[in-house]
Amino acid sequence: MTREEALTALASHEADERLKAAQFFAMHAVGSDRRKLRSALNKETVPWIRRALERSLNRTGPKENVTPRSSLDTDPPARLLAERRAAAIDEVASTIIHELATLVGRLRISAPREIDDYSQSNTKTLVNSLASLLAGIRNLKTSVGKADYVEIDLASECRQTCAIFEEASEWFRYAGPSPFLAEMDLGLFKLALSNVLRNAVEALAPTLGEGEPLITLNWGRAGHEIWVAVIDTGPGFERDPASLVDFGKSTKEEHIGFGLATAKQAMQAMEGDVYPSNAKEGGARVELRWFGSHEDIVR
């Protein structure tokens, strides 16, 4: 699909054509597409097409009030920008990981020997935060990879990812159908889901004794989209949930805020996104969504 064909398809009466166009712009949108994408979004009524258009608008960047540029000053191709961004993240992450990994390892060995009552000290908290930062950078490096789609049993993969959290094994409940075949990049999906689950487990840990902790996973299809929802019975988000998908944002003290941000990066590599909110019945709800069909035109 060319850009001209995609622009024409945005106004099609066929939902599938509009979806293909929205998916095209989710990968290729530039600043000059913003006006037409905004117009299409204002007219669109199909939820999953609206979300694809919203992702397309996000790719064009924030709207700016600037003087018109000359015809020679055009937007670089979106794919080129994405490749440059991925390369920059990979280079910086590799350098930081190389420098920090040895230091963190030595700290974890030396600190307990040299500090009295280390297990109760602020030093342990800070060392753990540094280790979390290193893990977050490793995950960020992984999340910029190109998606490689395979059809798998989503129900089984959700259960296997939950099994990582042995200390919370009794908290998990599963509400989705099983088996449930879905197309995804397994590594990116598990990276996103494990970060969401870790947030839920950590949110529930301080509430033990105040009621039965529960983390419910549900999944299904909505049109062309596949979704997985993680709902916990914790305190929910204190701040605007949408702001917590930015790097460095966290509701927890001593946390570096890579969890939801890394999940978002991983899902966007699958042409999807992360939608955090406060559940109506209390607690937090985080939804992962991505498209279940992937034409070559948007690869």
Side-chain angles (χ1 to χ4, degrees), residues 7 28 32 50-52 57 82 86 90 108 161 183 195 208 212 224 228 252 273 285 290 295:
L7 288 171
H28 301 286
S32 57
R50 287 184 58 84
R51 280 189 283 272
L57 282 167
D90 184 78
R108 284 187 146 172
T161 307
E183 287 183 341
N195 275 277
L208 295 180
E212 183 183 8
H224 287 264
V228 175
K252 308 180 187 74
D273 217 330
R285 176 188 177 97
W290 68 100
E295 295 81 4

Side-chain angles (χ1 to χ4, degrees), residues 140-159:
L140 173 59
K141 186 176 184 295
T142 300
S143 71
V144 299
K146 182 180 179 181
D148 182 17
Y149 293 90
V150 294
E151 187 176 60
I152 62 166
D153 181 5
L154 176 62
S156 175
E157 297 303 332
C158 283
R159 287 179 167 84

Side-chain angles (χ1 to χ4, degrees), residues 7-280:
L7 288 171
T8 299
L10 284 176
S12 173
H13 294 296
E14 298 294 330
D16 283 353
E17 289 299 307
R18 299 199 305 276
L19 175 61
K20 290 178 182 179
Q23 287 182 283
F24 174 90
F25 285 112
M27 296 295 291
H28 301 286
V30 295
S32 57
D33 297 321
R34 170 172 283 275
R35 181 178 60 81
K36 291 181 179 179
L37 290 172
R38 175 62 63 185
S39 175
L41 177 61
N42 290 338
K43 298 174 183 177
E44 187 56 63
T45 59
V46 179
W48 49 91
I49 301 179
R50 287 184 58 84
R51 280 189 283 272
L53 289 170
E54 288 167 355
R55 289 194 281 272
S56 301
L57 282 167
N58 288 339
R59 176 174 285 277
T60 67
K63 185 177 181 180
E64 298 178 352
N65 294 320
V66 297
T67 55
R69 298 176 296 177
S70 71
S71 59
L72 297 177
D73 185 16
T74 57
D75 290 297
R79 184 173 293 278
L80 177 59
L81 288 175
E83 290 174 353
R84 288 176 178 173
R85 178 171 179 269
I89 289 176
D90 184 78
E91 181 179 356
V92 172
S94 296
T95 301
I96 294 175
I97 289 170
H98 177 75
E99 296 296 328
L100 286 182
T102 301
L103 292 175
V104 172
R106 291 174 63 185
L107 271 174
R108 284 187 146 172
I109 294 172
S110 300
R113 297 173 179 172
E114 299 175 2
I115 297 175
D116 294 335
D117 198 18
Y118 174 75
S119 62
Q120 303 299 319
S121 68
N122 287 332
T123 301
K124 179 181 179 181
T125 300
L126 294 172
V127 169
N128 287 342
S129 294
L130 185 58
S132 295
L133 174 60
L134 182 60
I137 295 170
R138 283 197 181 103
N139 285 342
L140 173 59
K141 186 176 184 295
T142 300
S143 71
V144 299
K146 182 180 179 181
D148 182 17
Y149 293 90
V150 294
E151 187 176 60
I152 62 166
D153 181 5
L154 176 62
S156 175
E157 297 303 332
C158 283
R159 287 179 167 84
Q160 288 183 31
T161 307
C162 290
I164 296 172
F165 304 92
E166 296 180 5
E167 74 281 10
S169 60
E170 300 299 320
W171 301 355
F172 294 109
R173 301 292 184 273
Y174 307 98
S178 181
F180 187 89
L181 296 180
E183 287 183 341
M184 68 180 72
D185 181 298
L186 184 55
L188 290 171
F189 171 71
K190 283 196 167 184
L191 174 59
L193 182 59
S194 62
N195 275 277
V196 172
L197 292 174
R198 183 175 294 106
N199 276 5
V201 170
E202 291 178 350
L204 286 174
T207 69
L208 295 180
E210 300 175 8
E212 183 183 8
L214 291 176
I215 301 174
T216 301
L217 281 76
N218 198 4
W219 51 84
R221 295 182 190 273
H224 287 264
E225 284 187 313
I226 300 168
W227 57 269
V228 175
V230 178
I231 308 167
D232 66 58
T233 55
F237 298 110
E238 295 180 2
R239 301 201 304 268
D240 175 18
S243 70
L244 299 176
V245 295
D246 297 328
F247 285 108
K249 299 296 180 66
S250 175
T251 59
K252 308 180 187 74
E253 294 184 4
E254 308 297 342
H255 274 234
I256 48 144
F258 266 34
L260 288 181
T262 299
K264 181 180 179 72
Q265 182 74 43
M267 293 309 300
Q268 286 186 336
M270 286 171 52
E271 297 174 26
D273 217 330
V274 176
Y275 299 93
S277 62
N278 283 313
K280 293 180 180 179

